Amino acid sequence: MENSENDPKPKINLFENIALTFSGGGYCASSYSLGTLSYFNHVMFKGKPLLENVKGLSTASGGTLTGATYAYYKCKGNDFESFYKQFYNVLNEDKLLGIALKKLDSNETWVNTHKKRSLINAFALAYSELLTDGTFKDLKDHKSHLEDICFNATDFSFGLAFRFQTTGDFGNYKLKNSNLTKLSEEMKIADAIASSSCFPTGFEPLVMPDDFISNQDSDVYVALKNQEYFKKGIGIMDGGIVDNQGIGSIMNADARRKDKFDLIMVCDVGSYFMDPWKPSKIKINPESKGLTPKTLFNKIIKKLKSAWWIFIPLVLTIALIFLGIRYQPGTGFFIAGGATGLLTILAVICKIYIHKFEKKVMQLWNWAMDMLPGSIKEKLPFLENLRLKLIQRMLEERGTSALIMITDVFMKQLRRLNYNLFYTDNNLNHRRITSLIYELTEAQYKRFESDEKGYNQSLKKVEDKLRHYANPSDKIYTAAKIASEMATTLWFTEKDKEVHRLKNLISCGQFTACFNLLKYCLDLKEADVQVDKTILNKMIDTFQADWEKFTDNPYWLFEELK
């Protein structure tokens, strides 16, 4: 965007330089992003697919699965159709989790690899098998229409965004150094996908550079490991922790570029909605003392140490064998007797090793205590005398509230902060739009009929114009609702398959992109900017025609691609 000498109004070179961001959100984000890409590829602009004018790409977590695979396919000169078919099949066959778990369990997988045996490294190997075995050197050497590519993650040494990117600083300002930049070209795209998508509590971090570089005898690797920050390795995890929409990275790219992006579209499957936290239903009788951890443990040990209980399975074994001999030789009495005989043997072994068992339990307890901060450890002895039900309720309420904090409260606050950054930057006026998975659900689209508080009035004005062309149909509402209700997982559940979640997610990405591009053009038509009205009107007609087809059949483009 620029101003001409004779006209102070900003100039928009409509759709010449586009940037897309794909949010995190597991397979939901992956599928929705695939729908967005497919719609951009469908729309023709100046004789070629509009997708060819996408110059910037910034992705996080589930969106990185789609964005990274597409970037690799394009750098290798493949057409969109081959990418779409391959990636759709990966999602539809839903083999990722099974392959990853099989690799984790296989001893052969880890014999000749530099990677530590862990779930996230098993997923990295599965991504390499299913999506791409390419490296960042491939992305840099074989140029495509994508000029600025960034796959977002987070470092666990400084809590900063860690950017796997082809332009700008690789990593972040705290970890930036020439050795890391040199090694980046050897890093596999699949490892960046794993780093970007390994959400906390579900996965452990990947270790930079240990899990990323196979030749650990190279001078560059040794030099990097000798630097203070990298001696023990840097934990790298989910990009959604600091920027689940990839907004910061694409704004940085825009600031670096001489020819700014004419349009940045943020594609987001997250939302501000959340299920409220609920307190535990466990009730405690104030008049009852109840068991405590200490008394329960002592009772178990005392029972195990007593001698009389060993005779129970022994007597039962003798009785069953006698009954078998006396009444029904060769029947189930002997089988039952053999089973109880095993119990007798186990009882004797337990009796012999009870002291070792007690010792091991205490060692385990001490190990757990050593992992806690000193201020907490000092107070834990008081828990020994608390009732078990009370401890159970405390753990349940702390666990559920912590989980909601990580997956909802924290993520939604960051989402608000990043969108605030995006929408308060005046340099991005008339150059930014969002494509939100839930915005074409009936409840969301009609929300301002009953409550417009806090809703952008200029956006409502454009919405009213859009209604003149075509309101979303009930079919659109239904498809968007099915799409927006998927949980954040890297697999499809049986319920997902029953409601054809993948089909609805891809279609939702398509018709929501169309909706927002039409809305954007209608907004530009009345904005105080310089723009080629002939091209603008042509694109309005294009998007309007597609939008009317979507309102009639939300799946028409999905069906054409199949």
Side-chain angles (χ1 to χ4, degrees), residues 315-368:
V315 171
L316 187 58
T317 301
I318 295 171
L320 287 169
I321 293 174
F322 171 78
L323 290 172
I325 295 171
R326 178 69 178 81
Y327 296 106
Q328 294 180 349
T331 63
F333 282 114
F334 289 105
I335 297 174
T340 53
L342 289 175
L343 288 176
T344 305
I345 295 171
L346 289 173
V348 173
I349 293 173
C350 183
K351 177 66 177 176
I352 295 172
Y353 289 98
I354 184 60
H355 294 290
K356 289 187 178 181
F357 170 74
E358 183 180 11
K359 184 178 179 181
K360 287 293 182 183
V361 170
M362 295 309 300
Q363 286 177 346
L364 181 63
W365 174 260
N366 292 331
W367 168 78

Side-chain angles (χ1 to χ4, degrees), residues 69-79 132-135 137-139 141-144 189:
T69 308
Y70 175 70
Y72 177 73
Y73 263 69
K74 289 306 294 183
C75 83
K76 287 298 185 180
N78 296 302
D79 58 24
T132 168
D133 196 37
T135 65
K137 190 175 190 303
D138 294 319
L139 296 179
D141 288 353
H142 304 282
K143 299 294 184 182
S144 68
I189 299 170

Side-chain angles (χ1 to χ4, degrees), residues 230-292:
F230 291 92
K231 284 181 178 178
K232 294 183 178 180
I234 303 290
I236 306 292
M237 288 199 79
D238 191 356
I241 296 170
V242 295
D243 184 0
N244 198 41
Q245 289 69 41
I247 290 173
S249 299
I250 212 65
M251 290 179 69
N252 287 346
D254 183 65
R256 290 194 302 266
R257 291 175 64 92
K258 184 178 180 181
D259 52 336
K260 305 296 184 185
F261 295 124
D262 301 306
L263 175 65
I264 299 174
M265 176 187 273
V266 177
C267 305
D268 189 2
V269 303
S271 75
Y272 56 84
F273 308 117
M274 63 178 282
D275 294 326
W277 175 81
K278 297 177 182 178
S280 172
K281 294 181 180 179
I282 297 174
K283 297 187 180 298
I284 300 170
N285 184 351
E287 297 179 359
S288 172
K289 287 187 177 182
L291 285 173
T292 70

Side-chain angles (χ1 to χ4, degrees), residues 16 65 85 246 308 510:
E16 293 294 341
L65 273 70
K85 181 179 180 181
W308 65 267
Q510 294 165 346

Side-chain angles (χ1 to χ4, degrees), residues 475-502:
K475 295 176 183 178
I476 289 278
Y477 290 147
T478 299
K481 186 173 187 293
I482 293 172
S484 63
E485 288 177 342
M486 183 178 176
T488 303
T489 58
L490 287 170
W491 57 86
F492 291 112
T493 65
E494 288 303 316
K495 175 65 175 178
D496 292 329
K497 294 170 184 176
E498 286 176 13
V499 299
H500 305 289
R501 193 86 69 188
L502 177 58

Side-chain angles (χ1 to χ4, degrees), residues 50-68:
L50 185 60
L51 185 56
E52 294 295 316
N53 284 0
V54 173
K55 310 295 184 183
L57 182 64
S58 175
T59 67
S61 200
T64 300
L65 273 70
T66 311

Side-chain angles (χ1 to χ4, degrees), residues 183-252:
L183 288 174
S184 68
E185 294 196 352
E186 299 179 34
M187 295 182 189
K188 288 192 172 184
I189 299 170
D191 289 338
I193 295 173
S195 302
S196 183
S197 59
C198 60
F199 53 90
T201 70
F203 295 97
E204 58 278 278
L206 279 92
V207 181
M208 176 67 73
D210 310 47
D211 286 330
F212 293 83
I213 304 299
S214 58
N215 182 10
Q216 299 188 354
D217 294 323
S218 70
D219 293 339
V220 180
Y221 180 88
V222 172
L224 182 65
K225 285 293 290 181
N226 282 330
Q227 295 184 12
E228 187 62 32
Y229 292 154
F230 291 92
K231 284 181 178 178
K232 294 183 178 180
I234 303 290
I236 306 292
M237 288 199 79
D238 191 356
I241 296 170
V242 295
D243 184 0
N244 198 41
Q245 289 69 41
I247 290 173
S249 299
I250 212 65
M251 290 179 69
N252 287 346

